[in-house]
Amino acid sequence: MSINVTNIVKQGYRRTIERNGLVLMGVIFAISLVNGLLGISVSQWMMSQQFTPGSVEANPTLLVPPVVASVISLVLGIGLLVVSIAAIRVFVSDETERLPREYFTRNIGWAAINVIVGAIVFGIIVALGFVAFIIPGIFLLVALAFWTVYVAVEDQNFITAFRSSWRLTHGYRFSLFTLGVAVLLLTALVNAVFGLGDLASGSLTGDIVALVFAQAASAITTVFSTAVLATAYTELKTRDDNDRGKTISEDSTVGRPAA
Protein backbone atom coordinates (compact mmCIF):
# COMPACT_ATOMS: atom_id res chain seq x y z
CA MET A 1 0.00 0.00 0.00
CA SER A 2 1.14 3.51 -0.70
CA ILE A 3 0.07 7.14 -0.68
CA ASN A 4 0.56 9.84 -3.28
CA VAL A 5 3.40 11.80 -1.72
CA THR A 6 3.32 14.61 -4.29
CA ASN A 7 -0.40 15.12 -3.84
CA ILE A 8 -0.13 15.27 -0.05
CA VAL A 9 2.70 17.81 -0.22
CA LYS A 10 0.62 19.95 -2.62
CA GLN A 11 -2.43 19.75 -0.35
CA GLY A 12 -0.28 20.64 2.64
CA TYR A 13 1.05 23.67 0.76
CA ARG A 14 -2.48 24.76 -0.18
CA ARG A 15 -3.61 24.52 3.43
CA THR A 16 -0.54 26.51 4.50
CA ILE A 17 -1.41 29.48 2.30
CA GLU A 18 -5.11 29.51 3.20
CA ARG A 19 -6.21 32.41 5.39
CA ASN A 20 -6.06 30.55 8.70
CA GLY A 21 -2.74 28.96 7.75
CA LEU A 22 -1.22 32.40 7.20
CA VAL A 23 -2.70 33.66 10.48
CA LEU A 24 -1.19 30.71 12.35
CA MET A 25 2.12 31.46 10.66
CA GLY A 26 1.94 35.07 11.84
CA VAL A 27 1.07 34.09 15.42
CA ILE A 28 3.90 31.54 15.63
CA PHE A 29 6.31 34.08 14.14
CA ALA A 30 5.30 36.78 16.63
CA ILE A 31 5.60 34.50 19.67
CA SER A 32 8.94 33.07 18.54
CA LEU A 33 10.32 36.50 17.68
CA VAL A 34 9.46 37.94 21.08
CA ASN A 35 11.01 34.88 22.72
CA GLY A 36 14.16 35.33 20.65
CA LEU A 37 14.34 39.01 21.55
CA LEU A 38 14.18 38.01 25.19
CA GLY A 39 17.30 35.91 24.64
CA ILE A 40 19.09 38.90 23.16
CA SER A 41 17.80 41.03 26.03
CA VAL A 42 19.28 38.68 28.61
CA SER A 43 22.61 38.76 26.80
CA GLN A 44 22.54 42.56 26.78
CA TRP A 45 21.63 42.65 30.48
CA MET A 46 24.49 40.30 31.39
CA MET A 47 26.94 42.36 29.35
CA SER A 48 25.75 45.53 31.03
CA GLN A 49 26.52 43.96 34.42
CA GLN A 50 30.06 43.00 33.42
CA PHE A 51 31.21 46.09 31.57
CA THR A 52 30.87 49.80 31.86
CA PRO A 53 27.92 51.29 29.95
CA GLY A 54 30.18 52.86 27.34
CA SER A 55 31.99 49.64 26.48
CA VAL A 56 28.99 47.63 25.30
CA GLU A 57 26.53 48.24 22.50
CA ALA A 58 23.28 48.07 24.46
CA ASN A 59 19.78 49.32 23.82
CA PRO A 60 18.03 50.19 27.12
CA THR A 61 14.78 48.76 25.77
CA LEU A 62 16.48 45.37 25.39
CA LEU A 63 17.91 45.13 28.91
CA VAL A 64 15.81 42.48 30.65
CA PRO A 65 16.96 40.60 33.79
CA PRO A 66 17.13 36.79 33.39
CA VAL A 67 14.41 36.11 35.98
CA VAL A 68 11.89 38.36 34.25
CA ALA A 69 12.85 36.96 30.85
CA SER A 70 12.46 33.38 32.11
CA VAL A 71 8.93 34.02 33.34
CA ILE A 72 7.89 35.70 30.09
CA SER A 73 9.59 32.99 28.05
CA LEU A 74 7.69 30.29 29.95
CA VAL A 75 4.38 32.01 29.25
CA LEU A 76 5.29 32.36 25.57
CA GLY A 77 6.31 28.71 25.43
CA ILE A 78 2.94 27.64 26.79
CA GLY A 79 1.25 29.90 24.27
CA LEU A 80 3.26 28.37 21.43
CA LEU A 81 2.31 24.87 22.58
CA VAL A 82 -1.39 25.80 22.60
CA VAL A 83 -1.10 27.28 19.10
CA SER A 84 0.68 24.14 17.87
CA ILE A 85 -2.12 21.91 19.16
CA ALA A 86 -4.73 24.22 17.66
CA ALA A 87 -2.89 24.17 14.31
CA ILE A 88 -3.20 20.38 14.12
CA ARG A 89 -6.92 20.64 14.83
CA VAL A 90 -7.34 23.33 12.20
CA PHE A 91 -5.59 21.40 9.44
CA VAL A 92 -7.40 18.14 10.19
CA SER A 93 -10.72 19.99 9.83
CA ASP A 94 -12.20 21.48 6.67
CA GLU A 95 -11.92 25.00 8.08
CA THR A 96 -9.81 27.28 5.88
CA GLU A 97 -10.85 30.78 6.95
CA ARG A 98 -11.41 30.94 10.69
CA LEU A 99 -9.54 29.79 13.78
CA PRO A 100 -12.41 28.47 15.92
CA ARG A 101 -11.98 29.25 19.62
CA GLU A 102 -12.71 25.67 20.66
CA TYR A 103 -9.56 24.50 18.88
CA PHE A 104 -7.56 26.55 21.39
CA THR A 105 -9.58 25.62 24.46
CA ARG A 106 -11.09 22.10 24.19
CA ASN A 107 -9.30 19.83 26.67
CA ILE A 108 -6.23 21.98 26.07
CA GLY A 109 -4.66 21.27 29.47
CA TRP A 110 -4.97 17.51 28.98
CA ALA A 111 -3.61 17.75 25.44
CA ALA A 112 -0.71 19.99 26.46
CA ILE A 113 0.40 17.70 29.29
CA ASN A 114 0.28 14.65 27.02
CA VAL A 115 2.17 16.45 24.26
CA ILE A 116 4.93 17.50 26.69
CA VAL A 117 5.31 14.10 28.38
CA GLY A 118 4.75 12.25 25.11
CA ALA A 119 7.43 14.32 23.36
CA ILE A 120 9.96 13.33 26.03
CA VAL A 121 9.06 9.64 25.78
CA PHE A 122 8.93 9.81 21.98
CA GLY A 123 12.36 11.44 21.87
CA ILE A 124 13.84 8.77 24.12
CA ILE A 125 12.31 5.93 22.09
CA VAL A 126 13.49 7.31 18.75
CA ALA A 127 16.93 8.15 20.16
CA LEU A 128 17.34 4.58 21.39
CA GLY A 129 16.28 3.39 17.96
CA PHE A 130 18.91 5.54 16.27
CA VAL A 131 21.54 4.21 18.66
CA ALA A 132 20.55 0.72 17.50
CA PHE A 133 22.08 1.09 14.01
CA ILE A 134 19.88 4.04 12.89
CA ILE A 135 17.33 1.98 10.89
CA PRO A 136 15.17 1.16 13.96
CA GLY A 137 15.15 4.87 14.82
CA ILE A 138 13.87 5.84 11.39
CA PHE A 139 11.27 3.07 11.56
CA LEU A 140 9.99 4.25 14.94
CA LEU A 141 10.00 7.88 13.81
CA VAL A 142 7.73 6.98 10.88
CA ALA A 143 5.55 4.45 12.72
CA LEU A 144 4.77 6.89 15.55
CA ALA A 145 4.56 10.00 13.35
CA PHE A 146 0.88 10.72 14.04
CA TRP A 147 0.82 10.42 17.81
CA THR A 148 0.50 14.18 18.31
CA VAL A 149 -2.50 14.25 15.96
CA TYR A 150 -4.28 11.59 18.03
CA VAL A 151 -3.57 13.56 21.21
CA ALA A 152 -4.77 16.87 19.72
CA VAL A 153 -7.72 15.63 17.67
CA GLU A 154 -8.89 12.40 19.31
CA ASP A 155 -8.10 13.48 22.90
CA GLN A 156 -6.09 10.29 23.47
CA ASN A 157 -3.32 10.01 26.04
CA PHE A 158 0.15 9.71 24.55
CA ILE A 159 0.46 5.96 25.15
CA THR A 160 -2.80 5.21 23.35
CA ALA A 161 -1.75 7.71 20.66
CA PHE A 162 1.49 5.77 20.09
CA ARG A 163 -0.54 2.61 19.57
CA SER A 164 -3.02 4.33 17.26
CA SER A 165 -0.24 5.79 15.12
CA TRP A 166 1.48 2.41 14.96
CA ARG A 167 -1.70 0.80 13.65
CA LEU A 168 -2.57 3.62 11.24
CA THR A 169 0.86 3.64 9.59
CA HIS A 170 0.95 -0.14 9.07
CA GLY A 171 1.46 -0.82 5.37
CA TYR A 172 2.28 2.81 4.55
CA ARG A 173 5.59 3.30 6.33
CA PHE A 174 7.84 3.41 3.27
CA SER A 175 5.58 5.99 1.60
CA LEU A 176 5.51 8.01 4.82
CA PHE A 177 9.30 7.86 5.00
CA THR A 178 9.44 9.25 1.46
CA LEU A 179 6.98 11.98 2.48
CA GLY A 180 9.15 12.83 5.47
CA VAL A 181 12.25 13.14 3.29
CA ALA A 182 10.37 15.43 0.89
CA VAL A 183 9.23 17.69 3.74
CA LEU A 184 12.74 17.68 5.22
CA LEU A 185 14.27 18.79 1.90
CA LEU A 186 11.72 21.56 1.42
CA THR A 187 12.29 22.69 5.00
CA ALA A 188 16.04 22.74 4.45
CA LEU A 189 15.55 24.84 1.30
CA VAL A 190 13.45 27.43 3.14
CA ASN A 191 15.98 27.57 6.01
CA ALA A 192 18.81 27.99 3.52
CA VAL A 193 17.09 30.94 1.83
CA PHE A 194 16.21 32.70 5.09
CA GLY A 195 19.59 31.76 6.52
CA LEU A 196 21.04 34.61 4.46
CA GLY A 197 19.93 36.80 7.35
CA ASP A 198 22.88 35.40 9.32
CA LEU A 199 25.16 37.48 7.11
CA ALA A 200 23.96 40.54 9.02
CA SER A 201 24.82 39.13 12.47
CA GLY A 202 27.73 40.47 14.47
CA SER A 203 26.14 43.59 15.94
CA LEU A 204 22.99 44.18 17.96
CA THR A 205 21.03 45.34 14.94
CA GLY A 206 22.46 42.56 12.80
CA ASP A 207 21.57 39.94 15.40
CA ILE A 208 17.98 41.18 15.46
CA VAL A 209 17.79 41.04 11.65
CA ALA A 210 19.17 37.49 11.68
CA LEU A 211 16.64 36.56 14.36
CA VAL A 212 13.75 37.92 12.28
CA PHE A 213 14.84 35.87 9.26
CA ALA A 214 15.34 32.72 11.34
CA GLN A 215 11.95 32.95 13.07
CA ALA A 216 10.20 33.68 9.78
CA ALA A 217 11.69 30.49 8.33
CA SER A 218 10.72 28.56 11.45
CA ALA A 219 7.11 29.79 11.31
CA ILE A 220 6.78 28.87 7.63
CA THR A 221 8.26 25.40 7.99
CA THR A 222 6.34 24.67 11.21
CA VAL A 223 2.96 25.48 9.68
CA PHE A 224 3.79 23.68 6.43
CA SER A 225 5.02 20.55 8.23
CA THR A 226 1.92 20.51 10.43
CA ALA A 227 -0.34 20.91 7.40
CA VAL A 228 1.36 18.01 5.60
CA LEU A 229 1.17 15.82 8.72
CA ALA A 230 -2.54 16.57 9.14
CA THR A 231 -3.22 15.97 5.45
CA ALA A 232 -1.49 12.58 5.52
CA TYR A 233 -3.36 11.67 8.71
CA THR A 234 -6.70 12.60 7.17
CA GLU A 235 -6.05 10.47 4.09
CA LEU A 236 -4.91 7.42 6.06
CA LYS A 237 -7.77 7.80 8.56
CA THR A 238 -10.29 7.95 5.70
CA ARG A 239 -8.82 4.80 4.18
CA ASP A 240 -8.84 3.08 7.55
CA ASP A 241 -12.48 4.02 8.20
CA ASN A 242 -13.46 2.81 4.73
CA ASP A 243 -11.67 -0.51 5.25
CA ARG A 244 -13.42 -0.98 8.58
CA GLY A 245 -16.75 -0.18 6.96
CA LYS A 246 -16.14 -2.77 4.26
CA THR A 247 -15.17 -5.37 6.86
CA ILE A 248 -18.34 -4.75 8.87
CA SER A 249 -20.43 -4.90 5.68
CA GLU A 250 -18.82 -8.15 4.60
CA ASP A 251 -19.27 -9.68 8.06
CA SER A 252 -22.96 -8.77 8.13
CA THR A 253 -23.41 -10.20 4.64
CA VAL A 254 -21.72 -13.45 5.58
CA GLY A 255 -23.88 -13.85 8.65
CA ARG A 256 -27.13 -13.17 6.78
CA PRO A 257 -29.15 -16.31 5.84
CA ALA A 258 -29.60 -16.96 2.12
CA ALA A 259 -32.99 -16.06 0.65
Side-chain angles (χ1 to χ4, degrees), residues 99-214:
L99 294 175
R101 180 179 297 178
E102 60 267 24
Y103 290 171
F104 293 84
T105 58
R106 179 175 58 81
N107 291 335
I108 197 64
W110 167 261
I113 291 173
N114 275 276
V115 167
I116 293 171
V117 178
I120 296 172
V121 176
F122 176 72
I124 294 173
I125 292 173
V126 173
L128 291 175
F130 275 107
V131 170
F133 305 110
I134 299 180
I135 299 299
I138 296 175
F139 175 80
L140 290 169
L141 187 64
V142 173
L144 304 178
F146 297 106
W147 75 270
T148 52
V149 183
Y150 278 102
V151 170
V153 178
E154 305 290 342
D155 296 325
Q156 295 183 358
N157 62 62
F158 71 91
I159 296 176
T160 303
F162 286 163
R163 294 171 180 167
S164 297
S165 181
W166 183 278
R167 184 183 58 79
L168 185 67
T169 58
H170 179 69
Y172 297 98
R173 287 163 187 162
F174 182 76
S175 295
L176 290 171
F177 170 73
T178 305
L179 176 63
V181 171
V183 172
L184 185 63
L185 291 175
L186 291 171
T187 298
L189 177 61
V190 172
N191 286 328
V193 172
F194 281 83
L196 295 175
D198 291 338
L199 298 175
S201 61
S203 63
L204 177 59
T205 302
D207 288 345
I208 294 176
V209 171
L211 175 66
V212 170
F213 273 77

Side-chain angles (χ1 to χ4, degrees), residues 240-257:
D240 184 59
D241 291 342
N242 290 339
D243 289 342
R244 287 178 176 232
K246 289 180 182 179
T247 301
I248 294 174
S249 178
E250 290 172 357
D251 289 344
S252 62
T253 301
V254 171
R256 187 182 305 159

Side-chain angles (χ1 to χ4, degrees), residues 215-236:
Q215 297 307 330
S218 178
I220 293 171
T221 55
T222 297
V223 173
F224 172 68
S225 300
T226 303
V228 171
L229 180 71
T231 301
Y233 165 82
T234 301
E235 178 166 332
L236 294 185

Side-chain angles (χ1 to χ4, degrees), residues 3-21:
I3 55 176
N4 190 324
V5 172
T6 302
N7 186 52
I8 289 179
V9 171
K10 287 181 178 178
Q11 288 185 53
Y13 169 73
R14 283 195 292 269
R15 291 304 302 270
T16 300
I17 61 174
E18 294 286 357
R19 185 176 183 276
N20 51 16

